[in-house]
């Protein structure tokens, strides 16, 4: 365990490109959802001729599938991630998260997304072929609210990422919801470097986070972890599967 300044400097120096969280090994843990998203999409990718991965990050999860369809496309809005994704997947387009998507109507048998920033339901419905499905693991309401509140003070919790909103938006886009499964998961940070890197990488947890702007709260976090051995938070996820009639 380094000093506070050493740990903060270490967390601030970790590159942000890609969506690989292996750096956190031994420094933070997050309980995994029970359904095994990577295995589920790998199974689905084997059974389709065309698929689109929205907001792919560095493409790591989709690239882990043993078989990809003949047409495998992906979108990513952040240029550094798009560069990483282009090394992992065959066809990556830089496109805004909220759409429009640069694809023709009824192009894909399957659209997937893991932890999308936004879900452009209308565009998803447009690019899906009739009978095609959207399959996604999403971030739920109030995820990591304990960490947010520690750093910022008590914050209101929006229902915009709730399962009820997801169902309503999917159905409004003309999709039939087949599966909608929420879960709460334990998260633990074992040093303040992990907190710094997480807040730099997962930007919506503390909007506008900088080390200098939150130095006092980071010092309090460091003291908390030294006393308790960890800082515990709760992430929320839900799995959604919807079909185009």
């Amino acid at each position: 365990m380094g000093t506070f300044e050493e740990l903060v400097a270490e967390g601030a120096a970790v590159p942000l490109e890609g969506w690989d969280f292996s750096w956190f090994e031994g420094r933070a843990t997050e309980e995994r959802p029970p359904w095994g998203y990577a295995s589920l999409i790998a199974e689905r990718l084997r059974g389709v001729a065309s698929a689109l991965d929205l907001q792919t990050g560095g493409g790591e999860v989709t690239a882990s599938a043993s078989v990809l369809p003949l047409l495998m496309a992906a979108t990513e809005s952040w240029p550094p991630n798009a560069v990483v994704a282009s090394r992992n997947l065959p066809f990556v387009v830089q496109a805004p998260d909220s759409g429009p998507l640069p694809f023709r109507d009824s192009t894909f048998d399957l659209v997937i997304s893991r932890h999308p920033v936004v879900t452009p339901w209308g565009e998803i419905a447009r690019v899906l072929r009739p009978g095609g499905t959207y399959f996604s693991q999403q971030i739920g309401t109030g995820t990591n609210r304990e960490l947010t509140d520690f750093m910022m003070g008590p914050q209101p919790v929006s229902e915009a990422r709730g399962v009820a909103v997801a169902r309503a938006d999917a159905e409004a886009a003309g999709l039939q919801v087949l599966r909608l499964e929420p879960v709460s998961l334990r998260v633990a940070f074992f040093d303040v470097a992990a907190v710094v890197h997480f807040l730099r990488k997962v930007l919506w947890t503390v909007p506008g986070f900088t080390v200098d702007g939150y130095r006092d709260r980071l010092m309090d976090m460091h003291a908390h972890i030294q006393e308790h051995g960890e800082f515990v938070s709760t992430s929320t996820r839900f799995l959604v599967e919807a079909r185009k009639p």
Side-chain angles (χ1 to χ4, degrees), residues 56-70:
T56 189
E60 297 91 348
V61 176
T62 298
S64 69
S66 58
V67 177
L68 296 178
L70 183 63

Side-chain angles (χ1 to χ4, degrees), residues 14-21 24 60 78 81 195-205 209:
V14 184
L16 298 176
E17 293 82 0
W19 208 239
D20 178 4
F21 282 70
F24 287 99
E60 297 91 348
W78 193 43
N81 273 355
V195 174
V196 169
H197 181 44
F198 184 85
L199 294 178
R200 292 172 60 234
K201 195 171 186 71
V202 188
L203 300 173
W204 52 83
T205 308
F209 171 80

